[in-house]
Amino acid sequence: MRKTLLIACSGLLIFSSCKKEVEERLKNTTTTAVTTSSVTNYYVNGTTGSDANAGTSDTLPLKTIQAALWKTTDGVGATIWVAGGTYKEKLWWPYSGADSTHPITLTNYNGGTVILDGVNAVNGDQKAMIAAVSKSHVRINNITVANNITSSAVGILFQGSGTDIQVTGCKIYNIGWTTDSTAVPSSTDNANPLMVWGDALASYNKVYIGSNQIYSCNTGYSEGLTMAGNVENFLIESNVVHHIRNIGIDMTGHYSWANTNDSVNMARNGNVKYNIVYNCISPVALNGGIYVDGGKYINIEGNICYNNYAGISAGCENNNYTATGINIRDNFIYNSRNAGILVGSNQTNSKVTYSTIMNNSLYKNNTDGGWGGEISLQNTDYLTIKNNIVNSASDIMVIALWGYSSTNLVSDYNLYYGLSGSAASSTFDWYPTGTTYGSLAAFTAATGLDAHSTYGNPNYVSSTNLHLSSTSPAINAGDPSFVLGYQEFDIDKQSRIQNSRVDKGADETAY
């Protein structure tokens, strides 16, 4: 796993009632459209502009983005339109907008490509390319943030507390603690391309991170996209995160650097959906493409994760705490170096509780051939594993790791398939009892788990396309008592049940 020390810069299936509240709070904040009515417009052009101009027309623009930000007013909506070009600036965000319909927006003008470049940038001592501390009603749209290489470098940072912030359509790349892509970091070597950090008693909330690209970042012990500390009611949607030298997307809790108030020190009440995460591999530790570490009531659904160290993980790396209500469902996960899905705490007195692994499609994970298997368990309590397709690169299906416990475990209606093509060779390594079960039948007989699970080739379309062909035994074969989650869809955002019975795996067919 890991966890990061970041140095600052100057459920239970989500219960339907809880999930509904999250979605309702977010639904008015999930648009990438730029609000222009009843706001003041400022224009920036790095070639023709002058900071002596008023900047209120595109014929007399300002020269720098920072000058435009200083012209905004606290509690008043404004849109800053930036002409295409490269801007050598690190920006300090001084004010909040008025409300969700009158935010302060930074966006590109007339479709131009706007690049914030950290090389020899003005305000170079600032660690973040864009820093907003306790600001609300903020929009950052269609801006490229690049080339910030320094100790504790940050691309876009929201820190403190606030509400209604959106980052959409942005590209963030080459944010790192060093330029040496082969360097092995220590725990004090960190960089965060995009981070929302709730370090106050009040939360950062109503956070939308959508349709961004985050890539080619040397993050050390940190992550590509991070929700840390007191952050709640967030939606991370339709982003592409890749080639990160650690975790791709991370939601953390219970780290003293993030927040000193234990009761609110965790990312919670959020959704991570329809993202594509790949090639996120740490040089020093096992890491997940998508990872919840000590968070609460978070859905991870409809994502495509491949070629990561581990695919999707939920844990709790701080002792005497729990991660609760983590729902991993309807994801495609393949070609991970270690486990496809890894759930459970690695700490003696911590657990992942009341969580689910449901309707995921896994294919040939654990490519390193180690102890990972397709699904790996550490300390869990009340974990349900149902309706998954587990197509192993070997014959190892599920591993409950040595020295950990999985109490109140439910596992059923899964479809298993391995390298040998033989149900009698399916391996379930159940180290809490010190036993390796050499077949699905032996595992069921000894544990009572997977009584209705089956063995067979799922007949995926291809090795990188985990949709079901018409001959798949996963079709209409899931748990007949399956209860649809609130606003739950399949991997293609289609109805989760298209016939009378749910399919196994992430793809729901009309066959």
Side-chain angles (χ1 to χ4, degrees):
M1 298 270 201
R2 58 85 254 188
K3 186 67 200 146
T4 182
L5 170 69
L6 182 136
I7 300 175
C9 62
S10 288
L12 331 226
L13 175 69
I14 285 189
F15 287 129
S16 61
S17 59
C18 175
K19 175 76 159 48
K20 184 175 182 180
E21 179 183 5
V22 173
E23 296 287 359
E24 287 300 314
R25 290 185 183 185
L26 287 169
K27 71 179 182 179
N28 292 323
T29 70
T30 57
T31 175
T32 59
V34 176
T35 302
T36 58
S37 60
S38 302
V39 300
T40 302
N41 292 301
Y42 296 101
Y43 297 86
V44 177
N45 190 310
T47 302
T48 65
S50 168
D51 287 348
N53 292 335
T56 52
S57 72
D58 60 356
T59 57
L60 290 172
L62 298 159
K63 185 175 182 63
T64 66
I65 301 170
Q66 187 65 65
L69 284 168
W70 284 121
K71 284 185 176 291
T72 61
T73 302
D74 201 35
V76 177
T79 299
I80 297 170
W81 298 95
V82 184
T86 299
Y87 294 79
K88 300 278 190 174
E89 303 181 58
K90 292 185 176 181
L91 303 177
W92 178 260
W93 200 283
Y95 302 120
S96 296
D99 52 39
S100 61
T101 58
H102 304 88
I104 295 177
T105 298
L106 174 64
T107 190
N108 61 330
Y109 179 61
N110 206 24
T113 299
V114 176
I115 302 174
L116 277 181
D117 189 345
V119 177
N120 298 320
V122 175
N123 196 20
D125 290 340
Q126 180 173 291
K127 296 293 186 178
M129 293 299 297
I130 302 176
V133 177
S134 294
K135 299 300 180 287
S136 299
H137 311 302
V138 169
R139 309 285 185 267
I140 301 173
N141 175 255
N142 287 342
I143 302 295
T144 295
V145 177
N147 305 324
N148 189 21
I149 307 295
T150 187
S151 175
S152 302
V154 184
I156 298 175
L157 172 67
F158 289 90
Q159 182 178 347
S161 63
T163 188
D164 181 31
I165 59 174
Q166 298 182 23
V167 180
T168 55
C170 294
K171 291 184 179 180
I172 305 173
Y173 65 88
N174 199 26
I175 309 298
W177 66 277
T178 178
T179 58
D180 184 358
S181 62
T182 66
V184 176
S186 70
S187 62
T188 58
D189 296 320
N190 296 275
N192 289 85
L194 199 166
M195 185 177 194
V196 181
W197 177 5
D199 65 353
L201 182 59
S203 67
Y204 248 119
N205 58 76
K206 293 186 180 178
V207 176
Y208 181 68
I209 311 294
S211 302
N212 303 285
Q213 297 180 50
I214 303 172
Y215 59 96
S216 300
C217 293
N218 195 353
T219 57
Y221 269 61
S222 293
E223 313 84 22
L225 197 168
T226 308
M227 303 283 120
N230 192 5
V231 182
E232 60 180 334
N233 301 327
F234 58 86
L235 177 56
I236 300 171
E237 180 180 42
S238 301
N239 302 282
V240 180
V241 181
H242 63 95
H243 291 91
I244 305 296
R245 296 197 81 216
N246 197 12
I247 296 158
I249 300 174
D250 186 36
M251 288 69 62
T252 71
H254 311 298
Y255 288 91
S256 58
W257 61 260
N259 197 298
T260 57
N261 190 302
D262 235 19
S263 65
V264 295
N265 187 12
M266 80 290 293
R268 59 199 183 276
N269 297 342
N271 286 276
V272 182
K273 57 170 57 173
Y274 300 111
N275 303 281
I276 300 173
V277 181
Y278 62 96
N279 288 347
C280 296
I281 299 173
S282 167
V284 295
L286 195 162
N287 68 278
I290 301 174
Y291 184 33
V292 177
D293 177 12
K296 290 187 176 182
Y297 308 118
I298 297 172
N299 273 356
I300 303 173
E301 57 186 333
N303 302 283
I304 299 174
C305 295
Y306 63 94
N307 294 353
N308 300 297
Y309 208 139
I312 296 174
S313 182
C316 189
E317 294 187 32
N318 289 285
N319 212 5
N320 301 310
Y321 294 101
T322 62
T324 297
I326 312 305
N327 192 20
I328 301 171
R329 68 189 188 192
D330 308 308
N331 302 283
F332 281 175
I333 308 165
Y334 59 95
N335 292 350
S336 307
R337 288 177 56 177
N338 200 269
I341 298 176
L342 173 57
V343 172
S345 175
N346 58 3
Q347 298 297 311
T348 303
N349 296 317
S350 292
K351 293 181 178 181
V352 175
T353 64
Y354 296 99
S355 296
T356 65
I357 302 171
M358 297 186 70
N359 281 99
N360 299 284
S361 297
L362 296 98
Y363 181 75
K364 292 193 175 181
N365 297 286
N366 195 30
T367 59
D368 279 358
W371 49 263
E374 290 292 323
I375 297 175
S376 292
L377 307 179
Q378 294 178 331
N379 288 332
T380 69
D381 190 26
Y382 290 100
L383 174 67
T384 296
I385 305 172
K386 279 189 176 182
N387 297 342
N388 302 284
I389 299 174
V390 180
N391 190 342
S392 177
S394 61
D395 282 314
I396 301 173
M397 304 298 168
V398 180
I399 296 179
L401 293 172
W402 192 276
Y404 302 106
S405 65
S406 294
T407 51
N408 299 300
L409 179 68
V410 174
S411 185
D412 209 355
Y413 290 98
N414 301 296
L415 174 63
Y416 296 106
Y417 190 67
L419 182 64
S420 68
S422 169
S425 298
S426 302
T427 299
F428 295 78
D429 293 334
W430 222 246
Y431 294 125
T433 60
T435 304
T436 294
Y437 300 104
S439 70
L440 175 58
F443 175 64
T444 298
T447 65
L449 300 171
D450 282 295
H452 301 95
S453 295
T454 55
Y455 188 93
N457 190 334
N459 293 328
Y460 291 136
V461 170
S462 75
S463 61
T464 58
N465 182 349
L466 307 190
H467 290 86
L468 302 177
S469 66
S470 60
T471 58
S472 174
I475 296 171
N476 300 323
D479 184 356
S481 63
F482 173 80
V483 177
L484 188 68
Y486 178 74
Q487 291 192 354
E488 180 180 2
F489 300 95
D490 82 340
I491 191 73
D492 300 311
K493 304 181 184 180
Q494 297 174 342
S495 296
R496 181 63 269 193
I497 302 176
Q498 294 191 31
N499 292 299
S500 59
R501 186 170 172 179
V502 69
D503 294 348
K504 295 178 182 179
D507 177 30
E508 186 73 21
T509 72
Y511 302 127

